[in-house]
Amino acid sequence: MASIKQFQVTFDCAEPERVARFWCEVLGYVVPPPPKGFATWDDFKRSQPPEQRDSWFACSDPSGVGPRLYFQRVPEGKAAKNRLHLDVRVGTGLVGEERLAVLEAECARLVALGAVRGRLLLADGVNESTLVMQDIEGNEFCLD
C-alpha cells in the first residue's frame, strides 16, 4: 500500500470564510485564487444556489509544506471539547521564561484577532509550557 503524502484538516463551523481568514492570520496561510472561470470569490459565491453560498472556504500554506485547511458550514454549534486540535508551534526550542514570553506575545496577537485565551499549562519536567486557546468559534488549539 502506498503511503499518503498529503492531507487536509477540516473544521466544522458556522461561518467558514470568517474562520478561514482567522486561521490565515494565525498561520500565515493564504486564500487560494477563486475557482477557474471566476474573477473573485464573490463572483463564485453569486454563481452558487442560495443554499450552497458560504457553505465552505479553504486556505493553504503558501510554501506548500503545511496541510490545506478546509472549513465547512454545519448546522449544529460546537457542543463539547475538540477530539483533535492544532498545536501552533511558536515556542519550539525555547524553555523557561523565554518560552513563556513568546507564548504570551503570540497570545496577545491572536486575542486581537478574536481568539480567546484559555489556561496556561506550565512546564512539568516532561512537557514544556503550553497555552490553551480558542479560535473565533470556540475551537480549542494550543500555542506550543
Side-chain angles (χ1 to χ4, degrees):
M1 182 171 152
S3 65
I4 304 214
K5 305 263 190 275
Q6 294 184 347
F7 66 95
Q8 76 178 9
V9 177
T10 300
F11 289 71
D12 289 349
C13 54
E15 297 179 72
E17 184 172 352
R18 179 173 173 253
V19 179
R21 291 186 184 279
F22 169 83
W23 281 101
C24 282
E25 290 295 322
V26 172
L27 300 174
Y29 272 39
V30 296
V31 173
K36 190 173 183 169
F38 297 95
T40 67
W41 277 103
D42 285 337
D43 290 343
F44 173 73
K45 287 180 201 178
R46 284 190 289 275
S47 76
Q48 300 294 296
E51 66 277 3
Q52 290 181 6
R53 286 185 195 141
D54 300 315
S55 64
W56 66 273
F57 210 77
C59 59
S60 58
D61 179 352
S63 72
V65 174
R68 178 179 190 245
L69 302 182
Y70 183 81
F71 303 84
Q72 62 187 9
R73 185 178 62 215
V74 295
E76 69 277 358
K78 185 175 178 303
K81 183 181 182 308
N82 300 7
R83 297 283 308 242
L84 172 81
H85 69 268
L86 301 183
D87 286 344
V88 180
R89 310 292 313 271
V90 297
T92 303
L94 302 176
V95 297
E97 293 301 319
E98 186 179 16
R99 183 180 179 89
L100 289 173
V102 168
L103 295 178
E104 292 294 350
E106 184 65 2
C107 176
R109 183 181 83 86
L110 300 182
V111 165
L113 296 173
V116 175
R117 180 193 173 102
R119 66 191 182 284
L120 176 63
L121 305 173
L122 292 172
D124 60 10
V126 175
N127 297 300
E128 288 299 330
S129 297
T130 300
L131 186 52
V132 179
M133 299 191 69
Q134 293 179 352
D135 74 9
I136 57 176
E137 285 199 3
N139 298 301
E140 294 90 3
F141 67 97
C142 291
L143 295 180
D144 178 26

